[in-house]
Amino acid sequence: MTHDWKAIDAAVRVEPGEKSKLKERDTVCDHLFADRDAAEAALKDCAKAINDLQDRLWAERSRSLLVVLQGIDTSGKDGTVRGVFNQCGPLGVSVTAFGKPTEEELAHDYLWRVHAAVPKKGMIGVFNRSHYEDVLVVKVRGLAPSETIEQRYAQINAFEKHLSENGVVILKFMLHISKDEQRERLQERLDRPEKNWKFNAGDLEDRKLWDEYQSAYETLLDRCSTAHAPWRVIPADKKWRRNAMIAAIVHGTLADMAPTYPRVSWKPTDFTVV
Amino acid sequence: MTHDWKAIDAAVRVEPGEKSKLKERDTVCDHLFADRDAAEAALKDCAKAINDLQDRLWAERSRSLLVVLQGIDTSGKDGTVRGVFNQCGPLGVSVTAFGKPTEEELAHDYLWRVHAAVPKKGMIGVFNRSHYEDVLVVKVRGLAPSETIEQRYAQINAFEKHLSENGVVILKFMLHISKDEQRERLQERLDRPEKNWKFNAGDLEDRKLWDEYQSAYETLLDRCSTAHAPWRVIPADKKWRRNAMIAAIVHGTLADMAPTYPRVSWKPTDFTVV
C-alpha cells in the first residue's frame, strides 16, 4: 500500500479524553487522499487485502472485527458497505441494520438486540446504525427520560470494553457530511425517479433538527471515544475519499491483528486419500 | 445475456415426479457453457445483473430469494457463494452455514433453526448446507431412527411449500462432483500448507461412505424435487462452469420475478429540501 494509514487514522480519530470539536471537523479533507485515482486504487488494494485477511481471521477462529457505521440520513452507510466490503463478500461479512426497534426488542434493554448481532469469531460484522441511535434519535426526539440517556454513555463504554476484552476488535466510524451535501443528496432522491422510493418525508423532519443531531453526535464522540473503541470522524462529502479512508483503516487494523492460518498438529503424510 | 438460461436450467433440473437418476448425471457437462471464456463473461454479467435485481427486490420489500447449496465435502459451496454473490455483496445477501446442531438447536425440531434463518423480504439468503443434512448425514450415520427420517421428506416439502406460498422463492442446488474430483481436492488440502487448516480427518471417514451419501442424495432428489421448489443437480467438477450455471439460473429466476422499484404516492414537487 502506498498510503500511510496511520497518518490517515490519526487525522480522523477522536483521541480518548479529548473533545471531538465536531463543528471544526472538515467534511471534505482535500489533503487526505488528494488524488481521486490514487484513492480508488488504494480502495481496490485494501478491499482485496481485507478479503485475504478475513480468510485468515476465519481460519484462526478466535477473534472478530466489528465495524460500526453511524451517520445522518444520506451520509453513505450503505455505500460504504458496498464500496469497502463487497470484495470480501457475504461469506465473511455479515451486515446488521438497526432500524426502529420492534416490540420484542423494546421489551428488552437497548443493548440486547445489539449484543445478539455481534459478529462471531472469524467474521467481520458491520452495524448499519447501532446502539448509538439510543443516544441519538432517542435523545433528540425525547424518546427516553434524559437521566436514562445520561447513563447510557458509560453503559455503552462498559459494553464495548467487555467485547474488546473478549476478542472483538471495534472500529467506529461516523460518516460526517455537511448540511449542504445532505440537501443535494435528498434532492437527488426527489429528482431521480429510480431513487424516489428511498425518499422518506421523515428525513426532512430530521433535517430540521440538524443542529440537535450534530450536538448529540458531539456528545457521544466526546464521551464514547475510548482507548478500546475510539471513534473516527470520516469526512464523507466525497464518496470515493470516504471509502478509501475507511478501507485503509479497516485494512490497517486487520493487518495489525495479523491473523494467521493455524498450524496443524499432523503431517500431510499422516493421511492418504483413497 | 447470450446464453439460454432456460435450456441450461432444463438440463440440470430434476423434474418433479421423475426419478433423478443421480448416477447417470454427468459431473462435467462439457456441452453446457462449452467455452470457459464465455462462461466467465456470462458469470460476470449475471453477477452484475443479480446485484441490480436485488436492489429492486429490496426496494419492493415483498419477496425474498432463498438459495440452498448442498454438496459433499469439497464440492464448492463456499466458492459458489464467492463466485456468484460477491458482486451483490453483504448488504443484500446473507449467508447461513448450518453445521453440527448446538444443544439449543437439538432441543427444538430440526426445522426450527432453518426457519429462523429464512431471508427476510427484500433479501437473498444463501444456505450453506441446510435442513437436507437431516436426511443426509443424519441418515447415513444413523443419528435418528429410520421412521423419523422417513417422515422428513414430506415435512420438508410442506415447509418449503409454506415458504413459497409466503413470498420466498426457493432455488436448490446440489453441487455434483465425481469421486475422483473429490480425491484431488482433498489431496490439495494436504499438499498445500495454506490449505492444511481446511483438512478434516472426518472428511476421509465420510468419503468411505461415498455410496451411502450418493444414495441418500438420490432419495432426497427423488422425493423433494417439487413444483414449488425443484432441485438442480449442478455439474461441479469445473468450478468456472458451476459458477456460470448457478449464476445463470439465479439471474434468470430473479429476472422472472421481475421486482420493480415501488411507485410513490407523491410528486417530487410536493417537497422542498431547505
Side-chain angles (χ1 to χ4, degrees), chain A residues 56-225:
Chain A
R56 291 160 188 264
L57 196 69
W58 177 251
E60 196 186 78
R61 218 76 61 92
S62 64
R63 295 173 291 172
S64 63
L65 179 68
L66 171 60
V67 176
V68 175
L69 299 179
Q70 280 287 159
I72 54 162
D73 300 318
T74 76
S75 61
K77 298 178 288 295
D78 284 1
T80 300
V81 177
R82 287 182 181 275
V84 177
F85 295 106
N86 269 28
Q87 176 90 29
C88 205
L91 204 61
V93 180
S94 65
V95 181
T96 309
F98 291 97
K100 200 178 160 200
T102 63
E103 280 194 48
E104 167 83 356
E105 288 166 351
L106 285 171
H108 295 83
D109 78 276
Y110 68 99
L111 291 179
W112 178 77
R113 64 174 183 165
V114 177
H115 207 154
V118 168
K120 70 170 109 177
K121 289 168 186 174
M123 293 286 289
I124 297 174
V126 180
F127 284 0
N128 185 338
R129 302 184 186 271
S130 69
H131 43 299
Y132 284 99
E133 291 296 324
D134 294 286
V135 291
L136 282 164
V137 59
V138 172
K139 185 180 198 179
V140 172
R141 297 262 177 201
L143 305 176
S146 56
E147 316 84 77
T148 300
I149 294 166
E150 190 59 27
Q151 292 181 307
R152 290 183 174 172
Y153 301 99
Q155 291 166 354
I156 288 172
N157 289 344
F159 171 65
E160 292 178 356
K161 185 162 192 283
H162 163 84
L163 293 180
S164 73
E165 288 173 356
N166 284 276
V168 183
V169 174
I170 304 170
L171 286 173
K172 303 185 294 195
F173 297 105
M174 179 204 171
L175 310 186
H176 187 36
I177 61 171
S178 68
K179 198 172 177 184
D180 282 346
E181 181 67 25
Q182 191 195 42
R183 184 179 52 240
E184 281 179 32
R185 294 185 186 183
L186 286 172
Q187 192 62 50
E188 199 186 4
R189 292 183 180 178
L190 290 170
D191 295 344
R192 290 177 54 182
E194 79 280 13
K195 291 205 167 187
N196 280 177
W197 66 277
K198 287 189 178 179
F199 182 80
N200 179 349
D203 294 350
L204 294 185
E205 297 306 309
D206 274 340
R207 183 168 165 80
K208 287 181 192 156
L209 297 166
W210 179 272
D211 291 341
E212 288 81 353
Y213 273 104
Q214 293 294 308
S215 167
Y217 265 109
E218 185 154 351
T219 302
L220 73 84
L221 292 169
D222 290 351
R223 297 179 64 176
C224 296
S225 203

Side-chain angles (χ1 to χ4, degrees), chain A residues 51 54-55 58-61 77-79 81-82 85-95 97 120 128 179 182-184 186-187 189-191 193-194 196-201 204 207-208 261-262 264 266-269 271-274, chain B residues 51 54-55 58-61 77-79 81-82 85-95 97 120 128 179 182-184 186-187 189-191 193-194 196-201 204 207-208 261-262 264 266-269 271-274:
Chain A
N51 179 34
Q54 192 277 325
D55 197 54
W58 177 251
E60 196 186 78
R61 218 76 61 92
K77 298 178 288 295
D78 284 1
V81 177
R82 287 182 181 275
F85 295 106
N86 269 28
Q87 176 90 29
C88 205
L91 204 61
V93 180
S94 65
V95 181
K120 70 170 109 177
N128 185 338
K179 198 172 177 184
Q182 191 195 42
R183 184 179 52 240
E184 281 179 32
L186 286 172
Q187 192 62 50
R189 292 183 180 178
L190 290 170
D191 295 344
E194 79 280 13
N196 280 177
W197 66 277
K198 287 189 178 179
F199 182 80
N200 179 349
L204 294 185
R207 183 168 165 80
K208 287 181 192 156
Y261 290 114
V264 296
W266 41 265
K267 290 193 298 291
T269 49
F271 298 99
T272 314
V273 187
V274 288
Chain B
N51 179 35
Q54 191 278 324
D55 197 54
W58 177 250
E60 197 185 79
R61 218 78 60 91
K77 299 180 286 295
D78 284 0
V81 177
R82 287 181 181 276
F85 295 107
N86 269 26
Q87 176 89 31
C88 206
L91 204 61
V93 180
S94 65
V95 181
K120 69 170 110 176
N128 186 337
K179 198 171 178 184
Q182 191 194 42
R183 185 180 51 243
E184 282 179 32
L186 286 172
Q187 193 61 50
R189 292 183 181 180
L190 290 170
D191 295 344
E194 79 280 13
N196 280 177
W197 67 277
K198 285 190 180 178
F199 182 80
N200 180 347
L204 293 184
R207 182 169 166 80
K208 287 181 193 155
Y261 290 114
V264 295
W266 40 265
K267 290 193 299 291
T269 49
F271 298 99
T272 313
V273 188
V274 288

Side-chain angles (χ1 to χ4, degrees), chain B residues 213-252:
Chain B
Y213 273 104
Q214 294 293 308
S215 167
Y217 266 109
E218 185 154 352
T219 303
L220 73 85
L221 292 168
D222 289 351
R223 298 180 62 176
C224 298
S225 203
T226 54
H228 54 269
W231 271 103
R232 273 85 172 182
V233 179
I234 301 295
D237 278 0
K238 295 287 177 209
K239 296 170 184 175
W240 52 268
R241 182 175 289 123
R242 171 201 76 202
N243 285 353
M245 293 183 79
I246 293 178
I249 295 169
V250 170
H251 170 250

